[in-house]
Amino acid sequence: MATPTDFRTRARSALAGARTGVGARAQSGRRTNGAVVAVKNVFVAESSTFYSILGVTLFLVVFGVVMVLSSSSVEQYKETHDFFGAFSRQGMYAIIGVPLMLVASRIPTGVWRKYSRWVIVLGLVVQAAVVLTPLGYSIQGNRNWIKLGSFTAQPSEILKLALVLGIGTIIYQKRNRLDEWKQVLPPIALVVAGSIGLVLFGGDQGTAMVMMILVFGAMFVGGVRLRHIGIGVGAILVLLPFVTMASSSRSSRISAWLSGCTDTSQYQDLCWQPVHGMWALASGGVFGVGLGNSKAKWSWLPEADNDYIFAIIGEELGLIGAVVVLALFVVLAISMIRIIRLSDDVFVRTVTGGVLAWIIGQALVNIGVVLGLLPVLGVPLPLISAGGSALIMTLVAIGVVLSFARDLPSRQTLAARSAARLPEPSGRLR
C-alpha cells in the first residue's frame, strides 16, 4: 500500500513535470513562432476568479450605459435636442475605461507596489489644484471638479485608487510590526488626512465617506489590529459633527432626512429629490413599467442618470431588476474575497480589500440614499451611474484586482500543494 510519503513524492514530481512540460512547449513555440504574437495570451489567467470579476464588470458597464440612455434621454433632448448626448459620452468613457482595465490587469504586482507613492503624489497635487487654484469649479456646492478647456475630471477618483495602493504599500512594509501602532498609524494617518482633508475642503462629504470606508476596509483586511482601527473610528466620530455643521446646505439636508421630510415647506426644496426617488422606486412594483417607460425621468427626478439611477432601475425593471443588480455586486464581492483568501501576499490582500470596500461600500451608500436610509450625499452607483472619472477609475481599480487574480493558483495546483504538505508518516500503513 502506498504511503503518504509516496503520494507526496508523486505530487511533487507531477508539479515538476508540468512545469518542465510548459517550459519545453514555450521554448518550442518560440522556435517555431518567433515573430507571432499570441493574442489569446492577453486573456490567459490561472484562476476562474479572473473571469467571474471580468464578466460581472463588463455586464454592469454595458447595463449602465443602457440605463444612462434610458434615464437621461428626456433631459438631454430638453437641453440639447439630442436624445443620445449622455449615452454617447458614457459609451466613450466605457470604451476608454475597459481597455485601461485590461492593460492594468497585465501589470505585475511589484510594479503597483513600487509606484504607489507616485500615484499618491499625483492624486494629491491634482486634488490640491481643485481646491486651491482657479482650475477647480463647483457643482451643486461641491468644489470637487477640475476643468481645462472642455475637459473636466474629478480628481478625488484618482485619490481613491492612490489611497488603496498607498495603504497596501505601507502595510506591506510594516507587515512584521503591525502590533506597534507607532509603526502603522502615523504613516497611514498622514496619507489619509491629506487626501480626505482636501476632499472635505472642497465640500464633498459623500466622497469623503466612501474614502473612509475604503481606508478601514483596507486596514482590516491588511491585518491592522482592531484596537488601532478603533482609534481611527473614534477620531472620525469626534470630527463628524464639526464637518457636518461646517456647511449649511449639508446640515439642512441631514436635518430634513432626520425629520423624514414631514415638513411640507421643504417639499419643493430639500425633500424633492428623495421623495420623488422613493416614488419612482415604489411605482415599479415587482416587474417594473418596462425599459424606457419611466415617468420620473420626465423632469421629476433630479440626477436621474447619476445619483438616483437606482430609482430608475427599480421603476423600469421592478424589484427583479433591482435584485439582479444587487446580486451582481454580491458576486463581485465574493470573487474579490476569494482573492483575499487564496493570496499569501499582504499587499495583494490589502489592496483587494480596499477596492472591495470602495466599490461595494459606495454601492450600498448610493442604494441607501435612494431607499431613504441615508441623507442625500451625491454618491454615484459604481459602474452604472453616468460619469467619466468615476467609471474609468473604478475600471482601473478592478484591473488592479484582475492583475492579482492572474497570480492565483489553479485548483490542480492547490490540490498538489496540499498533498505535498502532508505530514511525515510515523510508520508504514498496514
Side-chain angles (χ1 to χ4, degrees), residues 26-295:
Q27 292 292 338
S28 175
R30 282 196 290 269
R31 287 196 297 269
T32 57
N33 305 308
V36 178
V37 178
V39 178
K40 65 180 181 179
N41 288 339
V42 174
F43 302 98
V44 170
E46 295 184 2
S47 173
S48 60
T49 305
F50 177 93
Y51 295 106
S52 63
I53 294 176
L54 180 62
V56 170
T57 300
L58 293 178
F59 182 88
L60 286 173
V61 170
V62 174
F63 177 77
V65 172
V66 173
M67 290 309 304
V68 167
L69 171 62
S70 177
S71 59
S72 66
S73 56
V74 174
E75 289 294 329
Q76 285 293 302
Y77 184 79
K78 178 182 176 182
E79 296 176 4
T80 64
H81 295 283
D82 179 11
F83 287 107
F84 303 99
F87 166 76
S88 301
R89 290 192 297 273
Q90 191 71 3
M92 180 185 67
Y93 299 144
I95 291 173
I96 295 173
V98 170
L100 287 177
M101 175 184 68
L102 296 177
V103 170
S105 72
R106 302 294 300 178
I107 298 176
T109 301
V111 175
W112 293 117
R113 189 163 53 237
K114 180 179 179 181
Y115 292 101
S116 62
R117 295 181 180 86
W118 294 106
V119 179
I120 293 175
V121 171
L122 173 63
L124 290 174
V125 169
V126 181
Q127 184 65 31
V130 171
V131 297
L132 301 177
T133 72
L135 294 176
Y137 73 101
S138 301
I139 295 180
Q140 297 182 356
N142 291 340
R143 189 178 178 85
N144 201 25
W145 296 81
I146 192 169
K147 186 172 184 179
L148 297 172
S150 59
F151 172 79
T152 60
Q154 194 172 4
S156 59
E157 297 297 330
I158 302 176
L159 270 179
K160 291 178 183 178
L161 180 59
L163 267 179
V164 172
L165 295 174
I167 294 174
T169 301
I170 293 172
I171 292 179
Y172 176 81
Q173 293 173 344
K174 308 291 185 179
R175 60 190 181 278
N176 296 324
R177 309 185 69 177
L178 293 179
D179 288 330
E180 304 175 28
W181 70 270
K182 293 181 180 180
Q183 293 291 328
V184 179
L185 292 188
I188 293 179
L190 182 63
V191 174
V192 171
S195 302
I196 298 182
L198 287 173
V199 173
L200 285 176
F201 191 74
D204 194 346
Q205 188 174 6
T207 300
M209 177 183 293
V210 173
M211 293 171 75
M212 287 307 309
I213 295 173
L214 175 160
V215 169
F216 290 131
M219 292 173 64
F220 176 77
V221 175
V224 177
R225 300 297 175 259
L226 288 178
R227 61 179 179 272
H228 298 161
I229 297 177
I231 295 174
V233 174
I236 295 300
L237 293 177
V238 171
L239 295 174
L240 185 60
F242 299 98
V243 173
T244 300
M245 299 305 295
S247 171
S248 58
S249 61
R250 186 185 304 129
S251 58
S252 298
R253 290 199 304 268
I254 294 176
S255 298
W257 168 71
L258 290 174
S259 67
C261 286
T262 55
D263 188 352
T264 56
S265 63
Q266 296 178 329
Y267 172 72
Q268 295 287 343
D269 184 19
L270 298 173
C271 293
W272 180 275
Q273 189 178 30
V275 168
H276 283 82
M278 186 66 70
W279 288 350
L281 190 65
S283 64
V286 176
F287 300 103
V289 298
L291 186 63
N293 294 328
S294 167
K295 295 181 175 64

Side-chain angles (χ1 to χ4, degrees), residues 344-418:
D344 55 1
D345 189 321
V346 176
F347 177 79
V348 170
R349 294 200 302 267
T350 303
V351 173
T352 304
V355 174
L356 168 64
W358 166 5
I359 296 175
I360 304 303
Q362 183 170 323
L364 292 177
V365 170
N366 175 274
I367 295 171
V369 169
V370 175
L371 294 176
L373 302 177
L374 293 172
V376 178
L377 296 170
V379 174
L381 187 60
L383 301 173
I384 296 178
S385 292
S389 302
L391 177 61
I392 292 173
M393 293 312 301
T394 302
L395 287 173
V396 172
I398 292 175
V400 175
V401 175
L402 288 175
S403 71
F404 302 153
R406 286 184 179 277
D407 297 331
L408 291 181
S410 62
R411 292 182 179 178
Q412 293 81 1
T413 304
L414 287 172
R417 288 180 181 177
S418 178

